Amino acid sequence: MPVTSLNRRAACLSLLGGMAALAVPFRSDADARFDERIKVFRLDGDGVTYAFGIDSVGQIQALHWGGSLAVDDPLPAAPNPSDFSGFDRANSVTPLEYVAFGGGLVTEPSLKVAFPDGGRDLVLRYAGHEMTAEGIRVRLKDISAEVHVELTYGMDKATGMLSRSARVYNRTRRPLRIDQMAAATLNLPFADDYELHYLTGRWAGEWTVQKRPLEAGSTVLESRLGMTGSQNNPWFAVGRKDVSEEENGPVWFGALAWSGSWRMVFEKDILGQSRITAGYNPFDFAYLLKPGESLETPVFYAGYSPDGMGGASRRMHRFQRTVILPGAPAPKLRPVLYNSWEATEFAVTEQGQVALAEKAATLGVERFVMDDGWFGKRNNDRAGLGDWTVNREKFPQGLTPLIRRVRELGMEFGLWVEPEMVNPDSDLYRAHPDWVINFKGRPRSEGRNQMVLNLARKEVCDYIIKSLDLLLSENDIAFLKWDHNRSWSEPGWPERPVAEQQRLYVDYTRNLYAILAEIRRRHPRVEIESCAGGGGRVDLGIMRFSDQVWPTDNTDPFDRLKMRDGFSQAYMPGVMMAWVTASPNWVNKRSTSLEYRFLSAMQGCLGIGDNLNHWTPDEFATAKRLIAEYKAMRATVQRGDLYRLISPQDNSPRSATLSVSGTRRQAVLFAFLHSSSKFETAPRIQLRGLEPQTRYAVRAIAGTVADDTPKVASGAYWMNHGVKLPLRGDFQAAACVFDAV
């Protein structure tokens, strides 16, 4: 969580004063030690050791990141740095933990500043350290100027997840401009066969898994959108080609906890050394620090797994569940919800919503969510955004009668909002046209007929908090679907002095977090879903305030198999909302059975978005049965260990996933077939993660198992011999539950 010591501007910014502790959002409980004799620090947790040391000139060098070392194993002191040539100075070829642009640096800097006299040289040296409750805090200082940098290290003992962040202090007598600032630089052990895994996408096509070798030069992943973005997600994993597989081999992985513009740079230098630098995106970035001010980065989380990509994912999932999410270490299970969007779109009425709620309740739905169209003059997407008052033409008595009926039916009530946006055709914009992000005198681009409110401004923060607080105080609302349907354009803040306008890139996102934190403080029972035109804002920063996320607007159940595979590389299934919607699906006009659609969605947080007014009695019966089955196993699906048994990538005709409960007493298998041909025989699926000696009973909840399948067998049998699911045809699916007996 980035927190600055800026001059706070009352209301909204005063909220941030109480959020400084979020800079490192977990109390590091890993073993942290410093060997005074050789000047070496180390952190240890869950089979991982991270070590770094102070070299002879006061630089901080990386020494080890990987599998755990014994407490008494000798670690070498940081070696003396030396130039490789007159072109390649020591600071460009030494594996440094944090390096500033200066002293001849030609590789990616962690920090770049500009002084008022035009100087841009900054050379950092060790100035002290503290061993703290959060881990390790190392202080650096420029060789002459009063520019100080504080590096914070922590590690979660249960997962071995490392946290790193940095704060720069201006203790000079003049303003200092930050042109580039990373949370950390991570150095990988030397190897010449690294392969980078990352996630790319677009609207309705998010979470595509990409791979490329780490070769000489740089690979850059970034967002310039003012938000996380779908084009790249701020997550990475690095394995060794032909060595690191799904369940075997070393993998280094990590994610940046930031929901604004960000950048990750993967470098392989002239000596073949690989490093990763991540933080604020320097594109169009300039942050002016006045004397006495400081700026802190987001947190960069990183981990190591000896158990391949699957092991890396399971560590990341466990860390999110026990440290990051609201309610950690035991976040609430996600309820089955119904959302009205596809049934009514903007044509919401009290009578129509009640009719849908009554039908949803018969299925066992636990949360009814009314989507867009309930407020202001919102009859289409061209008007009303920003006016968060109930439309009295549609709801003459307000929301109370609808909510009362939803509650009588045994469900919670939720509501769609998009607080960061405004339509030009709105009372808010007519009153405050200066509240949007804009460049003075330049066109104001619209996306989806809307513009972005400038959350960096105090009065905008105050308005959003006041509007939502009133809405939640006057109505029994348990859930907000918080949407964000366009990226930035014309990223200006003309009310600020010219030299301070680009603070927007930090202050907007920082204030977004503050608003979410304040809403949750005032209304602790209210849960929030992060949505941004689909999966455009999913990251470890927003997840601290979001109980679940909307990964994509694409609800095609077959497309979702690949997307879920990509999503699960970085994020846990227990936050991934997935709806059952109409067939043929609006995206591809693909027809699939209701059972297939349910099984696809049941691998995450189950929801229904179809128009229940069009369902047949048989469809209601199928849905009611599968929702009951989901409730009985959702703790395993949402909180268990995920094993990607058969990948849907590379045009695979089959895919399969297995979720295993933390106690190893239950496992849930989902299997899918795209299409069969030539009378092919279905392969056996070998499970993972079970207790070999425990006996498990198998029960098919959809589809069937082969006739020769035993009803009860050992975990060893299911893992080594496997189970056969005789799927044939197009878009077929099956699911089984394995319960310990």
Side-chain angles (χ1 to χ4, degrees):
M1 175 70 58
V3 180
T4 68
S5 57
L6 300 174
N7 179 22
R8 308 293 187 194
R9 297 181 302 282
C12 179
L13 297 189
S14 69
L15 299 175
L16 300 174
M19 298 181 66
L22 295 179
V24 178
F26 70 91
R27 186 179 181 89
S28 176
D29 57 358
D31 295 325
R33 291 187 290 278
F34 176 64
D35 188 329
E36 179 68 38
R37 182 179 56 86
I38 57 173
K39 309 297 184 187
V40 169
F41 301 88
R42 64 180 283 176
L43 291 156
D44 291 272
D46 194 34
V48 177
T49 297
Y50 189 90
F52 56 99
I54 308 165
D55 66 24
S56 58
V57 300
Q59 298 178 122
I60 309 299
Q61 288 194 34
L63 298 176
H64 178 84
W65 179 27
S68 63
L69 308 177
V71 173
D72 57 352
D73 278 342
L75 274 166
N80 294 326
S82 60
D83 295 344
F84 182 75
S85 71
F87 301 100
D88 304 292
R89 305 294 299 277
N91 58 354
S92 294
V93 294
T94 302
L96 299 177
E97 293 277 286
Y98 206 84
V99 59
F101 176 75
L105 183 78
V106 295
T107 53
E108 184 72 14
S110 309
L111 178 65
K112 184 176 183 293
V113 305
F115 294 95
D117 63 3
R120 298 184 304 283
D121 184 74
L122 191 70
V123 178
L124 300 175
R125 294 291 184 260
Y126 171 79
H129 74 273
E130 291 88 32
M131 309 300 287
T132 71
E134 289 75 31
I136 302 168
R137 189 174 298 128
V138 177
R139 300 189 307 276
L140 308 175
K141 180 189 173 300
D142 180 63
I143 53 175
S144 60
E146 289 298 316
V147 178
H148 298 249
V149 176
E150 188 174 83
L151 308 181
T152 301
Y153 294 78
M155 182 175 281
D156 178 48
K157 189 173 185 178
T159 60
M161 289 294 294
L162 174 75
S163 71
R164 288 196 55 189
S165 61
R167 185 194 289 263
V168 59
Y169 297 85
N170 179 12
R171 292 176 180 157
T172 74
R173 297 181 179 180
R174 296 184 294 175
L176 178 73
R177 193 182 73 222
I178 311 299
D179 289 333
Q180 186 168 339
M181 190 174 182
T185 294
L186 297 171
N187 293 271
L188 296 171
F190 185 87
D192 59 5
D193 58 354
Y194 281 132
E195 186 174 61
L196 172 64
H197 299 233
Y198 57 105
L199 297 167
T200 65
R202 53 170 172 76
W203 178 75
E206 299 92 332
W207 310 109
T208 301
V209 178
Q210 306 285 1
K211 301 178 187 178
R212 66 167 62 179
L214 272 185
E215 298 177 327
S218 298
T219 297
V220 177
L221 305 179
E222 65 176 350
S223 169
R224 300 180 177 184
L225 303 174
M227 57 187 288
T228 316
S230 298
Q231 291 91 331
N232 295 288
N233 188 269
W235 166 90
F236 77 91
V238 173
R240 296 182 59 193
K241 186 174 175 60
D242 300 326
V243 176
S244 303
E245 301 174 340
E246 178 63 23
E247 296 295 338
N248 298 287
V251 174
W252 293 262
F253 60 98
L256 187 68
W258 185 241
S259 309
S261 297
W262 58 272
R263 186 171 76 156
M264 290 184 181
V265 178
F266 301 81
E267 281 186 297
K268 189 171 185 179
D269 68 17
I270 61 164
L271 301 183
Q273 302 170 122
S274 299
R275 63 180 67 92
I276 306 156
T277 302
Y280 296 125
N281 195 328
F283 175 80
D284 197 40
F285 183 89
Y287 202 100
L288 189 73
L289 284 184
K290 297 175 183 177
E293 291 184 340
S294 68
L295 173 66
E296 188 170 8
T297 68
V299 180
F300 190 22
Y301 294 104
Y304 167 79
S305 169
D307 301 318
M309 293 294 296
S313 296
R314 289 187 289 275
R315 282 182 186 252
M316 182 67 98
H317 298 171
R318 192 162 66 250
F319 179 69
Q320 292 162 13
R321 184 172 63 251
T322 58
V323 174
I324 296 293
L325 286 173
K332 289 174 57 179
L333 291 173
R334 299 292 83 221
V336 178
L337 68 74
Y338 177 81
N339 183 286
S340 67
W341 172 251
E342 293 201 7
T344 61
E345 295 191 356
F346 296 103
V348 297
T349 63
E350 181 181 317
Q351 182 180 5
Q353 295 294 300
V354 167
L356 288 169
E358 290 173 345
K359 293 180 175 65
T362 67
L363 300 174
V365 166
E366 298 159 308
R367 176 175 285 167
F368 180 86
V369 181
M370 180 165 62
D371 211 279
D372 201 350
W374 60 268
F375 56 91
K377 301 295 183 183
R378 191 70 166 172
N379 298 312
N380 50 56
D381 67 6
R382 295 185 295 277
L385 275 182
D387 300 337
W388 299 110
T389 55
V390 178
N391 183 313
R392 291 289 174 160
E393 294 180 2
K394 299 179 180 182
F395 299 92
Q397 301 176 65
L399 298 179
T400 299
L402 170 60
I403 295 175
R404 184 188 304 121
R405 182 56 181 148
V406 168
R407 297 293 290 154
E408 289 171 352
L409 292 166
M411 298 181 293
E412 296 176 336
F413 181 78
L415 205 57
W416 179 95
V417 294
E418 193 173 4
E420 300 162 71
M421 302 291 163
V422 65
N423 286 124
D425 184 4
S426 66
D427 293 340
L428 179 64
Y429 187 77
R430 283 184 284 271
H432 301 287
D434 56 323
W435 280 13
V436 301
I437 293 173
N438 72 95
F439 287 131
K440 190 173 182 179
R442 302 296 298 174
R444 300 183 178 190
S445 301
E446 296 178 23
R448 199 176 181 253
N449 304 301
Q450 62 196 53
M451 290 179 280
V452 184
L453 291 170
N454 185 354
L455 268 60
R457 295 183 57 160
K458 165 195 173 299
E459 53 270 68
V460 174
C461 293
D462 290 346
Y463 175 80
I464 292 173
I465 291 172
K466 181 179 179 180
S467 299
L468 295 181
D469 183 42
L470 184 63
L471 179 68
L472 296 171
S473 297
E474 292 183 342
N475 299 282
D476 185 6
I477 297 171
F479 173 81
L480 293 177
K481 183 179 176 71
W482 188 296
D483 213 340
H484 182 283
N485 277 307
R486 62 155 296 184
S487 57
W488 289 9
S489 59
E490 299 86 45
W493 187 1
E495 293 74 26
R496 300 294 293 171
V498 172
E500 299 178 17
Q501 290 184 11
Q502 285 156 284
R503 283 185 171 186
L504 175 69
Y505 284 96
V506 174
D507 290 2
Y508 181 106
T509 302
R510 183 193 64 194
N511 286 3
L512 168 65
Y513 293 158
I515 292 168
L516 290 167
E518 180 64 7
I519 293 298
R520 298 194 73 112
R521 186 191 69 80
R522 297 187 188 187
H523 304 278
R525 290 180 52 253
V526 173
E527 297 180 348
I528 295 173
E529 175 179 291
S530 174
C531 175
R537 192 160 66 190
V538 178
D539 58 79
L540 295 186
I542 203 71
M543 282 173 62
R544 282 191 50 74
F545 308 98
S546 306
D547 302 271
Q548 60 195 52
V549 299
W550 181 241
T552 178
D553 285 346
N554 185 343
T555 58
D556 180 279
F558 176 71
D559 283 357
R560 275 291 185 104
L561 298 180
K562 286 185 179 180
M563 290 184 179
R564 181 187 185 277
D565 183 80
F567 182 94
S568 72
Q569 304 289 327
Y571 304 107
M572 57 180 279
V575 299
M576 185 191 74
M577 198 63 225
W579 290 357
V580 175
T581 59
S583 179
N585 189 273
W586 67 272
V587 177
N588 301 309
K589 303 302 180 184
R590 179 181 288 127
S591 296
T592 52
S593 70
L594 185 62
E595 188 172 78
Y596 183 95
R597 283 174 272 155
F598 259 95
L599 295 188
S600 177
M602 286 164 65
Q603 296 176 95
C605 306
L606 179 62
I608 300 171
D610 201 355
N611 189 343
L612 299 181
N613 295 319
H614 298 162
W615 279 23
T616 66
D618 285 346
E619 288 174 318
F620 273 94
T622 296
K624 184 175 182 179
R625 178 180 67 82
L626 290 174
I627 287 173
E629 293 283 8
Y630 177 77
K631 290 178 180 178
M633 66 187 187
R634 68 173 148 195
T636 297
V637 171
Q638 293 182 17
R639 294 179 177 170
D641 286 339
L642 175 67
Y643 294 85
R644 295 181 289 260
L645 302 180
I646 302 175
S647 171
Q649 306 296 339
D650 302 320
N651 297 315
S652 170
R654 299 177 185 273
S655 66
T657 65
L658 182 76
S659 298
V660 182
S661 68
T663 62
R664 300 292 186 261
R665 301 290 293 173
Q666 186 181 74
V668 183
L669 173 66
F670 293 95
F672 299 87
L673 173 67
H674 176 272
S675 59
S676 59
S677 62
K678 301 177 183 177
F679 206 61
E680 293 171 331
T681 300
R684 291 188 179 275
I685 301 174
Q686 294 175 318
L687 278 55
R688 293 184 179 272
L690 305 181
E691 291 289 350
Q693 303 306 317
T694 298
R695 297 185 66 76
Y696 296 86
V698 62
R699 180 174 64 87
I701 63 171
T704 61
V705 297
D707 293 340
D708 61 354
T709 303
K711 293 182 178 179
V712 179
S714 69
Y717 176 92
W718 299 121
M719 291 190 291
N720 297 321
H721 185 72
V723 61
K724 190 173 182 179
L725 304 176
L727 296 175
R728 281 204 178 94
D730 298 331
F731 304 111
Q732 299 297 308
C736 299
V737 176
F738 297 80
D739 285 309
V741 298

